[in-house]
PDB file of all heavy atoms in Angstrom:
ATOM      1  N   ALA A 114      -3.048  10.175  -7.840  1.00 97.00           N
ATOM      2  CA  ALA A 114      -3.469   9.886  -9.207  1.00 97.00           C
ATOM      3  C   ALA A 114      -3.323  11.129 -10.078  1.00 97.00           C
ATOM      4  O   ALA A 114      -3.919  12.170  -9.779  1.00 97.00           O
ATOM      5  CB  ALA A 114      -4.915   9.407  -9.229  1.00 97.00           C
ATOM      6  N   ASN A 115      -2.508  11.021 -11.130  1.00 97.00           N
ATOM      7  CA  ASN A 115      -2.521  12.068 -12.153  1.00 97.00           C
ATOM      8  C   ASN A 115      -3.836  12.021 -12.897  1.00 97.00           C
ATOM      9  O   ASN A 115      -4.414  13.048 -13.246  1.00 97.00           O
ATOM     10  CB  ASN A 115      -1.377  11.873 -13.137  1.00 97.00           C
ATOM     11  CG  ASN A 115      -0.031  12.209 -12.542  1.00 97.00           C
ATOM     12  OD1 ASN A 115       0.067  12.964 -11.583  1.00 97.00           O
ATOM     13  ND2 ASN A 115       1.020  11.627 -13.108  1.00 97.00           N
ATOM     14  N   SER A 116      -4.287  10.785 -13.155  1.00 94.00           N
ATOM     15  CA  SER A 116      -5.542  10.589 -13.862  1.00 94.00           C
ATOM     16  C   SER A 116      -6.058   9.183 -13.597  1.00 94.00           C
ATOM     17  O   SER A 116      -5.295   8.219 -13.682  1.00 94.00           O
ATOM     18  CB  SER A 116      -5.343  10.785 -15.368  1.00 94.00           C
ATOM     19  OG  SER A 116      -6.522  10.464 -16.083  1.00 94.00           O
ATOM     20  N   LEU A 117      -7.325   9.071 -13.255  1.00 94.00           N
ATOM     21  CA  LEU A 117      -7.965   7.757 -13.240  1.00 94.00           C
ATOM     22  C   LEU A 117      -8.555   7.569 -14.629  1.00 94.00           C
ATOM     23  O   LEU A 117      -9.692   7.941 -14.906  1.00 94.00           O
ATOM     24  CB  LEU A 117      -9.055   7.700 -12.152  1.00 94.00           C
ATOM     25  CG  LEU A 117      -8.556   7.799 -10.719  1.00 94.00           C
ATOM     26  CD1 LEU A 117      -9.723   7.697  -9.735  1.00 94.00           C
ATOM     27  CD2 LEU A 117      -7.520   6.718 -10.401  1.00 94.00           C
ATOM     28  N   ASP A 118      -7.731   7.002 -15.519  1.00 91.00           N
ATOM     29  CA  ASP A 118      -8.083   7.011 -16.935  1.00 91.00           C
ATOM     30  C   ASP A 118      -8.539   5.668 -17.482  1.00 91.00           C
ATOM     31  O   ASP A 118      -8.790   5.548 -18.680  1.00 91.00           O
ATOM     32  CB  ASP A 118      -6.925   7.561 -17.778  1.00 91.00           C
ATOM     33  CG  ASP A 118      -5.576   6.966 -17.409  1.00 91.00           C
ATOM     34  OD1 ASP A 118      -5.548   5.887 -16.793  1.00 91.00           O
ATOM     35  OD2 ASP A 118      -4.552   7.592 -17.729  1.00 91.00           O
ATOM     36  N   THR A 119      -8.632   4.670 -16.626  1.00 95.00           N
ATOM     37  CA  THR A 119      -9.211   3.397 -17.041  1.00 95.00           C
ATOM     38  C   THR A 119      -9.766   2.691 -15.811  1.00 95.00           C
ATOM     39  O   THR A 119      -9.340   2.961 -14.685  1.00 95.00           O
ATOM     40  CB  THR A 119      -8.163   2.505 -17.753  1.00 95.00           C
ATOM     41  OG1 THR A 119      -8.820   1.382 -18.361  1.00 95.00           O
ATOM     42  CG2 THR A 119      -7.119   2.003 -16.784  1.00 95.00           C
ATOM     43  N   GLY A 120     -10.736   1.813 -16.004  1.00 96.00           N
ATOM     44  CA  GLY A 120     -11.341   1.126 -14.882  1.00 96.00           C
ATOM     45  C   GLY A 120     -10.392   0.165 -14.192  1.00 96.00           C
ATOM     46  O   GLY A 120      -9.537  -0.439 -14.831  1.00 96.00           O
ATOM     47  N   TRP A 121     -10.537   0.052 -12.879  1.00 97.00           N
ATOM     48  CA  TRP A 121      -9.825  -0.930 -12.067  1.00 97.00           C
ATOM     49  C   TRP A 121      -8.304  -0.721 -12.042  1.00 97.00           C
ATOM     50  O   TRP A 121      -7.558  -1.670 -11.846  1.00 97.00           O
ATOM     51  CB  TRP A 121     -10.144  -2.362 -12.527  1.00 97.00           C
ATOM     52  CG  TRP A 121     -11.601  -2.653 -12.618  1.00 97.00           C
ATOM     53  CD1 TRP A 121     -12.341  -2.762 -13.753  1.00 97.00           C
ATOM     54  CD2 TRP A 121     -12.503  -2.862 -11.525  1.00 97.00           C
ATOM     55  NE1 TRP A 121     -13.655  -3.027 -13.451  1.00 97.00           N
ATOM     56  CE2 TRP A 121     -13.790  -3.105 -12.090  1.00 97.00           C
ATOM     57  CE3 TRP A 121     -12.371  -2.882 -10.138  1.00 97.00           C
ATOM     58  CZ2 TRP A 121     -14.917  -3.348 -11.303  1.00 97.00           C
ATOM     59  CZ3 TRP A 121     -13.492  -3.125  -9.357  1.00 97.00           C
ATOM     60  CH2 TRP A 121     -14.749  -3.360  -9.954  1.00 97.00           C
ATOM     61  N   GLN A 122      -7.839   0.512 -12.237  1.00 97.00           N
ATOM     62  CA  GLN A 122      -6.396   0.771 -12.153  1.00 97.00           C
ATOM     63  C   GLN A 122      -5.851   0.297 -10.813  1.00 97.00           C
ATOM     64  O   GLN A 122      -6.410   0.586  -9.761  1.00 97.00           O
ATOM     65  CB  GLN A 122      -6.115   2.258 -12.336  1.00 97.00           C
ATOM     66  CG  GLN A 122      -6.178   2.705 -13.782  1.00 97.00           C
ATOM     67  CD  GLN A 122      -6.073   4.210 -13.918  1.00 97.00           C
ATOM     68  OE1 GLN A 122      -7.047   4.916 -13.708  1.00 97.00           O
ATOM     69  NE2 GLN A 122      -4.907   4.698 -14.276  1.00 97.00           N
ATOM     70  N   ALA A 123      -4.732  -0.422 -10.864  1.00 98.00           N
ATOM     71  CA  ALA A 123      -4.196  -1.069  -9.670  1.00 98.00           C
ATOM     72  C   ALA A 123      -3.090  -0.248  -9.031  1.00 98.00           C
ATOM     73  O   ALA A 123      -2.188   0.238  -9.719  1.00 98.00           O
ATOM     74  CB  ALA A 123      -3.665  -2.465 -10.021  1.00 98.00           C
ATOM     75  N   GLY A 124      -3.164  -0.130  -7.716  1.00 98.00           N
ATOM     76  CA  GLY A 124      -2.064   0.446  -6.966  1.00 98.00           C
ATOM     77  C   GLY A 124      -1.058  -0.621  -6.579  1.00 98.00           C
ATOM     78  O   GLY A 124       0.096  -0.589  -7.001  1.00 98.00           O
ATOM     79  N   VAL A 125      -1.507  -1.590  -5.785  1.00 98.00           N
ATOM     80  CA  VAL A 125      -0.679  -2.722  -5.357  1.00 98.00           C
ATOM     81  C   VAL A 125      -1.563  -3.956  -5.437  1.00 98.00           C
ATOM     82  O   VAL A 125      -2.697  -3.939  -4.940  1.00 98.00           O
ATOM     83  CB  VAL A 125      -0.162  -2.532  -3.915  1.00 98.00           C
ATOM     84  CG1 VAL A 125       0.861  -3.606  -3.567  1.00 98.00           C
ATOM     85  CG2 VAL A 125       0.422  -1.144  -3.707  1.00 98.00           C
ATOM     86  N   ALA A 126      -1.069  -5.041  -6.051  1.00 98.00           N
ATOM     87  CA  ALA A 126      -1.963  -6.175  -6.285  1.00 98.00           C
ATOM     88  C   ALA A 126      -1.215  -7.493  -6.406  1.00 98.00           C
ATOM     89  O   ALA A 126      -0.051  -7.525  -6.819  1.00 98.00           O
ATOM     90  CB  ALA A 126      -2.788  -5.942  -7.556  1.00 98.00           C
ATOM     91  N   ARG A 127      -1.959  -8.575  -6.084  1.00 98.00           N
ATOM     92  CA  ARG A 127      -1.449  -9.941  -6.238  1.00 98.00           C
ATOM     93  C   ARG A 127      -2.297 -10.759  -7.203  1.00 98.00           C
ATOM     94  O   ARG A 127      -2.009 -11.930  -7.429  1.00 98.00           O
ATOM     95  CB  ARG A 127      -1.408 -10.625  -4.869  1.00 98.00           C
ATOM     96  CG  ARG A 127      -0.182 -10.234  -4.059  1.00 98.00           C
ATOM     97  CD  ARG A 127       1.013 -11.138  -4.356  1.00 98.00           C
ATOM     98  NE  ARG A 127       0.753 -12.490  -3.870  1.00 98.00           N
ATOM     99  CZ  ARG A 127       0.893 -13.603  -4.579  1.00 98.00           C
ATOM    100  NH1 ARG A 127       1.289 -13.538  -5.832  1.00 98.00           N
ATOM    101  NH2 ARG A 127       0.637 -14.775  -4.034  1.00 98.00           N
ATOM    102  N   GLY A 128      -3.363 -10.165  -7.763  1.00 97.00           N
ATOM    103  CA  GLY A 128      -4.113 -10.905  -8.762  1.00 97.00           C
ATOM    104  C   GLY A 128      -5.613 -10.796  -8.596  1.00 97.00           C
ATOM    105  O   GLY A 128      -6.131 -10.063  -7.761  1.00 97.00           O
ATOM    106  N   GLU A 129      -6.316 -11.580  -9.410  1.00 97.00           N
ATOM    107  CA  GLU A 129      -7.769 -11.605  -9.432  1.00 97.00           C
ATOM    108  C   GLU A 129      -8.311 -12.698  -8.510  1.00 97.00           C
ATOM    109  O   GLU A 129      -7.560 -13.335  -7.769  1.00 97.00           O
ATOM    110  CB  GLU A 129      -8.255 -11.822 -10.867  1.00 97.00           C
ATOM    111  CG  GLU A 129      -8.048 -10.617 -11.774  1.00 97.00           C
ATOM    112  CD  GLU A 129      -8.935  -9.457 -11.384  1.00 97.00           C
ATOM    113  OE1 GLU A 129     -10.161  -9.550 -11.577  1.00 97.00           O
ATOM    114  OE2 GLU A 129      -8.395  -8.453 -10.884  1.00 97.00           O
ATOM    115  N   GLY A 130      -9.633 -12.947  -8.604  1.00 95.00           N
ATOM    116  CA  GLY A 130     -10.255 -13.992  -7.792  1.00 95.00           C
ATOM    117  C   GLY A 130     -10.035 -13.739  -6.314  1.00 95.00           C
ATOM    118  O   GLY A 130     -10.277 -12.649  -5.816  1.00 95.00           O
ATOM    119  N   GLN A 131      -9.541 -14.760  -5.601  1.00 95.00           N
ATOM    120  CA  GLN A 131      -9.331 -14.634  -4.168  1.00 95.00           C
ATOM    121  C   GLN A 131      -7.926 -14.188  -3.798  1.00 95.00           C
ATOM    122  O   GLN A 131      -7.558 -14.193  -2.628  1.00 95.00           O
ATOM    123  CB  GLN A 131      -9.673 -15.948  -3.466  1.00 95.00           C
ATOM    124  CG  GLN A 131     -11.171 -16.239  -3.427  1.00 95.00           C
ATOM    125  CD  GLN A 131     -11.972 -15.092  -2.837  1.00 95.00           C
ATOM    126  OE1 GLN A 131     -12.818 -14.497  -3.495  1.00 95.00           O
ATOM    127  NE2 GLN A 131     -11.705 -14.765  -1.586  1.00 95.00           N
ATOM    128  N   ASN A 132      -7.106 -13.815  -4.792  1.00 97.00           N
ATOM    129  CA  ASN A 132      -5.859 -13.126  -4.483  1.00 97.00           C
ATOM    130  C   ASN A 132      -6.200 -11.697  -4.050  1.00 97.00           C
ATOM    131  O   ASN A 132      -7.204 -11.129  -4.470  1.00 97.00           O
ATOM    132  CB  ASN A 132      -4.941 -13.091  -5.701  1.00 97.00           C
ATOM    133  CG  ASN A 132      -4.398 -14.454  -6.056  1.00 97.00           C
ATOM    134  OD1 ASN A 132      -3.597 -15.025  -5.338  1.00 97.00           O
ATOM    135  ND2 ASN A 132      -4.862 -14.999  -7.192  1.00 97.00           N
ATOM    136  N   TRP A 133      -5.326 -11.082  -3.241  1.00 98.00           N
ATOM    137  CA  TRP A 133      -5.636  -9.737  -2.775  1.00 98.00           C
ATOM    138  C   TRP A 133      -5.229  -8.688  -3.807  1.00 98.00           C
ATOM    139  O   TRP A 133      -4.350  -8.907  -4.625  1.00 98.00           O
ATOM    140  CB  TRP A 133      -5.008  -9.462  -1.412  1.00 98.00           C
ATOM    141  CG  TRP A 133      -3.499  -9.412  -1.340  1.00 98.00           C
ATOM    142  CD1 TRP A 133      -2.669 -10.397  -0.901  1.00 98.00           C
ATOM    143  CD2 TRP A 133      -2.656  -8.297  -1.669  1.00 98.00           C
ATOM    144  NE1 TRP A 133      -1.355  -9.986  -0.947  1.00 98.00           N
ATOM    145  CE2 TRP A 133      -1.324  -8.692  -1.413  1.00 98.00           C
ATOM    146  CE3 TRP A 133      -2.878  -7.014  -2.162  1.00 98.00           C
ATOM    147  CZ2 TRP A 133      -0.232  -7.852  -1.634  1.00 98.00           C
ATOM    148  CZ3 TRP A 133      -1.798  -6.162  -2.392  1.00 98.00           C
ATOM    149  CH2 TRP A 133      -0.493  -6.599  -2.114  1.00 98.00           C
ATOM    150  N   ARG A 134      -5.896  -7.539  -3.750  1.00 98.00           N
ATOM    151  CA  ARG A 134      -5.581  -6.429  -4.647  1.00 98.00           C
ATOM    152  C   ARG A 134      -6.163  -5.134  -4.078  1.00 98.00           C
ATOM    153  O   ARG A 134      -7.174  -5.141  -3.381  1.00 98.00           O
ATOM    154  CB  ARG A 134      -6.124  -6.674  -6.053  1.00 98.00           C
ATOM    155  CG  ARG A 134      -7.613  -6.951  -6.114  1.00 98.00           C
ATOM    156  CD  ARG A 134      -8.028  -7.502  -7.473  1.00 98.00           C
ATOM    157  NE  ARG A 134      -9.456  -7.853  -7.497  1.00 98.00           N
ATOM    158  CZ  ARG A 134      -9.927  -9.039  -7.093  1.00 98.00           C
ATOM    159  NH1 ARG A 134      -9.098  -9.976  -6.655  1.00 98.00           N
ATOM    160  NH2 ARG A 134     -11.218  -9.297  -7.128  1.00 98.00           N
ATOM    161  N   PHE A 135      -5.489  -4.041  -4.393  1.00 98.00           N
ATOM    162  CA  PHE A 135      -5.938  -2.704  -4.013  1.00 98.00           C
ATOM    163  C   PHE A 135      -5.992  -1.897  -5.305  1.00 98.00           C
ATOM    164  O   PHE A 135      -4.965  -1.630  -5.927  1.00 98.00           O
ATOM    165  CB  PHE A 135      -4.949  -2.057  -3.038  1.00 98.00           C
ATOM    166  CG  PHE A 135      -5.605  -1.284  -1.924  1.00 98.00           C
ATOM    167  CD1 PHE A 135      -5.258  -1.515  -0.604  1.00 98.00           C
ATOM    168  CD2 PHE A 135      -6.560  -0.323  -2.193  1.00 98.00           C
ATOM    169  CE1 PHE A 135      -5.856  -0.814   0.430  1.00 98.00           C
ATOM    170  CE2 PHE A 135      -7.170   0.394  -1.170  1.00 98.00           C
ATOM    171  CZ  PHE A 135      -6.812   0.152   0.144  1.00 98.00           C
ATOM    172  N   HIS A 136      -7.202  -1.530  -5.734  1.00 98.00           N
ATOM    173  CA  HIS A 136      -7.356  -0.931  -7.060  1.00 98.00           C
ATOM    174  C   HIS A 136      -8.524   0.050  -7.085  1.00 98.00           C
ATOM    175  O   HIS A 136      -9.317   0.130  -6.148  1.00 98.00           O
ATOM    176  CB  HIS A 136      -7.540  -2.023  -8.123  1.00 98.00           C
ATOM    177  CG  HIS A 136      -8.705  -2.945  -7.846  1.00 98.00           C
ATOM    178  ND1 HIS A 136      -8.996  -4.005  -8.659  1.00 98.00           N
ATOM    179  CD2 HIS A 136      -9.647  -2.968  -6.863  1.00 98.00           C
ATOM    180  CE1 HIS A 136     -10.064  -4.652  -8.195  1.00 98.00           C
ATOM    181  NE2 HIS A 136     -10.473  -4.025  -7.118  1.00 98.00           N
ATOM    182  N   ARG A 137      -8.621   0.779  -8.176  1.00 98.00           N
ATOM    183  CA  ARG A 137      -9.765   1.655  -8.388  1.00 98.00           C
ATOM    184  C   ARG A 137     -11.037   0.823  -8.414  1.00 98.00           C
ATOM    185  O   ARG A 137     -11.053  -0.304  -8.944  1.00 98.00           O
ATOM    186  CB  ARG A 137      -9.598   2.390  -9.712  1.00 98.00           C
ATOM    187  CG  ARG A 137     -10.736   3.359 -10.029  1.00 98.00           C
ATOM    188  CD  ARG A 137     -10.553   3.957 -11.409  1.00 98.00           C
ATOM    189  NE  ARG A 137     -11.585   4.943 -11.704  1.00 98.00           N
ATOM    190  CZ  ARG A 137     -11.748   5.536 -12.885  1.00 98.00           C
ATOM    191  NH1 ARG A 137     -10.922   5.222 -13.886  1.00 98.00           N
ATOM    192  NH2 ARG A 137     -12.702   6.432 -13.065  1.00 98.00           N
ATOM    193  N   GLN A 138     -12.112   1.372  -7.843  1.00 97.00           N
ATOM    194  CA  GLN A 138     -13.388   0.668  -7.883  1.00 97.00           C
ATOM    195  C   GLN A 138     -14.068   0.942  -9.217  1.00 97.00           C
ATOM    196  O   GLN A 138     -14.745   1.949  -9.407  1.00 97.00           O
ATOM    197  CB  GLN A 138     -14.284   1.122  -6.724  1.00 97.00           C
ATOM    198  CG  GLN A 138     -15.697   0.549  -6.746  1.00 97.00           C
ATOM    199  CD  GLN A 138     -15.751  -0.968  -6.638  1.00 97.00           C
ATOM    200  OE1 GLN A 138     -14.804  -1.592  -6.160  1.00 97.00           O
ATOM    201  NE2 GLN A 138     -16.842  -1.573  -7.071  1.00 97.00           N
ATOM    202  N   GLY A 139     -13.852   0.020 -10.170  1.00 97.00           N
ATOM    203  CA  GLY A 139     -14.459   0.148 -11.490  1.00 97.00           C
ATOM    204  C   GLY A 139     -14.130   1.484 -12.126  1.00 97.00           C
ATOM    205  O   GLY A 139     -12.977   1.876 -12.231  1.00 97.00           O
ATOM    206  N   GLY A 140     -15.158   2.219 -12.537  1.00 96.00           N
ATOM    207  CA  GLY A 140     -14.973   3.539 -13.110  1.00 96.00           C
ATOM    208  C   GLY A 140     -15.249   4.652 -12.121  1.00 96.00           C
ATOM    209  O   GLY A 140     -15.354   5.816 -12.507  1.00 96.00           O
ATOM    210  N   GLU A 141     -15.364   4.316 -10.833  1.00 97.00           N
ATOM    211  CA  GLU A 141     -15.656   5.323  -9.813  1.00 97.00           C
ATOM    212  C   GLU A 141     -14.404   6.109  -9.427  1.00 97.00           C
ATOM    213  O   GLU A 141     -13.298   5.819  -9.888  1.00 97.00           O
ATOM    214  CB  GLU A 141     -16.288   4.646  -8.585  1.00 97.00           C
ATOM    215  CG  GLU A 141     -17.615   3.965  -8.878  1.00 97.00           C
ATOM    216  CD  GLU A 141     -18.243   3.341  -7.647  1.00 97.00           C
ATOM    217  OE1 GLU A 141     -17.962   3.799  -6.524  1.00 97.00           O
ATOM    218  OE2 GLU A 141     -19.020   2.380  -7.812  1.00 97.00           O
ATOM    219  N   GLN A 142     -14.581   7.086  -8.569  1.00 97.00           N
ATOM    220  CA  GLN A 142     -13.497   7.989  -8.191  1.00 97.00           C
ATOM    221  C   GLN A 142     -12.867   7.622  -6.849  1.00 97.00           C
ATOM    222  O   GLN A 142     -12.260   8.469  -6.192  1.00 97.00           O
ATOM    223  CB  GLN A 142     -14.021   9.434  -8.145  1.00 97.00           C
ATOM    224  CG  GLN A 142     -14.718   9.881  -9.402  1.00 97.00           C
ATOM    225  CD  GLN A 142     -13.845   9.738 -10.646  1.00 97.00           C
ATOM    226  OE1 GLN A 142     -12.791  10.358 -10.739  1.00 97.00           O
ATOM    227  NE2 GLN A 142     -14.281   8.927 -11.597  1.00 97.00           N
ATOM    228  N   THR A 143     -12.999   6.371  -6.457  1.00 98.00           N
ATOM    229  CA  THR A 143     -12.462   5.918  -5.181  1.00 98.00           C
ATOM    230  C   THR A 143     -11.765   4.573  -5.371  1.00 98.00           C
ATOM    231  O   THR A 143     -11.674   4.061  -6.485  1.00 98.00           O
ATOM    232  CB  THR A 143     -13.574   5.825  -4.124  1.00 98.00           C
ATOM    233  OG1 THR A 143     -13.004   5.677  -2.823  1.00 98.00           O
ATOM    234  CG2 THR A 143     -14.537   4.672  -4.413  1.00 98.00           C
ATOM    235  N   MET A 144     -11.241   4.019  -4.263  1.00 98.00           N
ATOM    236  CA  MET A 144     -10.441   2.798  -4.309  1.00 98.00           C
ATOM    237  C   MET A 144     -11.149   1.649  -3.607  1.00 98.00           C
ATOM    238  O   MET A 144     -11.994   1.852  -2.720  1.00 98.00           O
ATOM    239  CB  MET A 144      -9.079   3.027  -3.661  1.00 98.00           C
ATOM    240  CG  MET A 144      -8.259   4.129  -4.299  1.00 98.00           C
ATOM    241  SD  MET A 144      -7.869   3.825  -6.043  1.00 98.00           S
ATOM    242  CE  MET A 144      -6.724   2.441  -5.897  1.00 98.00           C
ATOM    243  N   ALA A 145     -10.782   0.423  -4.000  1.00 98.00           N
ATOM    244  CA  ALA A 145     -11.365  -0.789  -3.438  1.00 98.00           C
ATOM    245  C   ALA A 145     -10.278  -1.724  -2.934  1.00 98.00           C
ATOM    246  O   ALA A 145      -9.166  -1.764  -3.477  1.00 98.00           O
ATOM    247  CB  ALA A 145     -12.216  -1.507  -4.488  1.00 98.00           C
ATOM    248  N   TRP A 146     -10.612  -2.496  -1.903  1.00 98.00           N
ATOM    249  CA  TRP A 146      -9.723  -3.506  -1.322  1.00 98.00           C
ATOM    250  C   TRP A 146     -10.388  -4.854  -1.465  1.00 98.00           C
ATOM    251  O   TRP A 146     -11.510  -5.068  -0.976  1.00 98.00           O
ATOM    252  CB  TRP A 146      -9.466  -3.189   0.156  1.00 98.00           C
ATOM    253  CG  TRP A 146      -8.913  -4.280   1.016  1.00 98.00           C
ATOM    254  CD1 TRP A 146      -9.525  -4.856   2.106  1.00 98.00           C
ATOM    255  CD2 TRP A 146      -7.626  -4.925   0.920  1.00 98.00           C
ATOM    256  NE1 TRP A 146      -8.714  -5.800   2.685  1.00 98.00           N
ATOM    257  CE2 TRP A 146      -7.539  -5.862   1.972  1.00 98.00           C
ATOM    258  CE3 TRP A 146      -6.550  -4.795   0.032  1.00 98.00           C
ATOM    259  CZ2 TRP A 146      -6.415  -6.662   2.157  1.00 98.00           C
ATOM    260  CZ3 TRP A 146      -5.430  -5.595   0.222  1.00 98.00           C
ATOM    261  CH2 TRP A 146      -5.364  -6.511   1.272  1.00 98.00           C
ATOM    262  N   GLN A 147      -9.743  -5.784  -2.192  1.00 97.00           N
ATOM    263  CA  GLN A 147     -10.176  -7.176  -2.207  1.00 97.00           C
ATOM    264  C   GLN A 147      -9.319  -7.890  -1.176  1.00 97.00           C
ATOM    265  O   GLN A 147      -8.165  -8.237  -1.415  1.00 97.00           O
ATOM    266  CB  GLN A 147     -10.029  -7.789  -3.592  1.00 97.00           C
ATOM    267  CG  GLN A 147      -9.782  -9.293  -3.699  1.00 97.00           C
ATOM    268  CD  GLN A 147     -10.619 -10.212  -2.811  1.00 97.00           C
ATOM    269  OE1 GLN A 147     -11.676  -9.842  -2.315  1.00 97.00           O
ATOM    270  NE2 GLN A 147     -10.138 -11.418  -2.590  1.00 97.00           N
ATOM    271  N   GLY A 148      -9.901  -8.073  -0.010  1.00 96.00           N
ATOM    272  CA  GLY A 148      -9.209  -8.716   1.095  1.00 96.00           C
ATOM    273  C   GLY A 148      -9.946  -9.948   1.567  1.00 96.00           C
ATOM    274  O   GLY A 148      -9.892 -10.295   2.745  1.00 96.00           O
ATOM    275  N   GLY A 149     -10.637 -10.630   0.618  1.00 96.00           N
ATOM    276  CA  GLY A 149     -11.427 -11.808   0.950  1.00 96.00           C
ATOM    277  C   GLY A 149     -12.902 -11.544   0.679  1.00 96.00           C
ATOM    278  O   GLY A 149     -13.468 -10.576   1.178  1.00 96.00           O
ATOM    279  N   GLY A 150     -13.516 -12.387  -0.164  1.00 93.00           N
ATOM    280  CA  GLY A 150     -14.954 -12.270  -0.412  1.00 93.00           C
ATOM    281  C   GLY A 150     -15.346 -11.175  -1.380  1.00 93.00           C
ATOM    282  O   GLY A 150     -16.514 -10.803  -1.442  1.00 93.00           O
ATOM    283  N   GLY A 151     -14.407 -10.628  -2.138  1.00 94.00           N
ATOM    284  CA  GLY A 151     -14.728  -9.591  -3.112  1.00 94.00           C
ATOM    285  C   GLY A 151     -14.352  -8.198  -2.644  1.00 94.00           C
ATOM    286  O   GLY A 151     -13.872  -7.992  -1.533  1.00 94.00           O
ATOM    287  N   ASP A 152     -14.590  -7.223  -3.506  1.00 97.00           N
ATOM    288  CA  ASP A 152     -14.164  -5.852  -3.235  1.00 97.00           C
ATOM    289  C   ASP A 152     -15.045  -5.178  -2.198  1.00 97.00           C
ATOM    290  O   ASP A 152     -16.276  -5.313  -2.213  1.00 97.00           O
ATOM    291  CB  ASP A 152     -14.227  -5.018  -4.516  1.00 97.00           C
ATOM    292  CG  ASP A 152     -13.249  -5.485  -5.581  1.00 97.00           C
ATOM    293  OD1 ASP A 152     -12.154  -5.936  -5.206  1.00 97.00           O
ATOM    294  OD2 ASP A 152     -13.589  -5.400  -6.779  1.00 97.00           O
ATOM    295  N   ILE A 153     -14.396  -4.417  -1.315  1.00 98.00           N
ATOM    296  CA  ILE A 153     -15.104  -3.413  -0.520  1.00 98.00           C
ATOM    297  C   ILE A 153     -14.444  -2.087  -0.860  1.00 98.00           C
ATOM    298  O   ILE A 153     -13.243  -2.020  -1.106  1.00 98.00           O
ATOM    299  CB  ILE A 153     -15.055  -3.702   0.990  1.00 98.00           C
ATOM    300  CG1 ILE A 153     -13.620  -3.848   1.506  1.00 98.00           C
ATOM    301  CG2 ILE A 153     -15.869  -4.947   1.315  1.00 98.00           C
ATOM    302  CD1 ILE A 153     -13.524  -3.991   3.023  1.00 98.00           C
TER     303      ILE A 153
END
Side-chain angles (χ1 to χ4, degrees):
N115 288 337
S116 174
L117 294 181
D118 46 20
T119 191
W121 308 105
Q122 282 173 281
V125 189
R127 279 272 293 129
E129 289 292 290
Q131 288 306 118
N132 291 291
W133 66 259
R134 56 193 176 274
F135 220 129
H136 56 182
R137 181 185 183 187
Q138 174 62 21
E141 298 182 26
Q142 307 304 299
T143 193
M144 301 299 291
W146 163 243
Q147 151 44 20
D152 295 326
I153 56 174

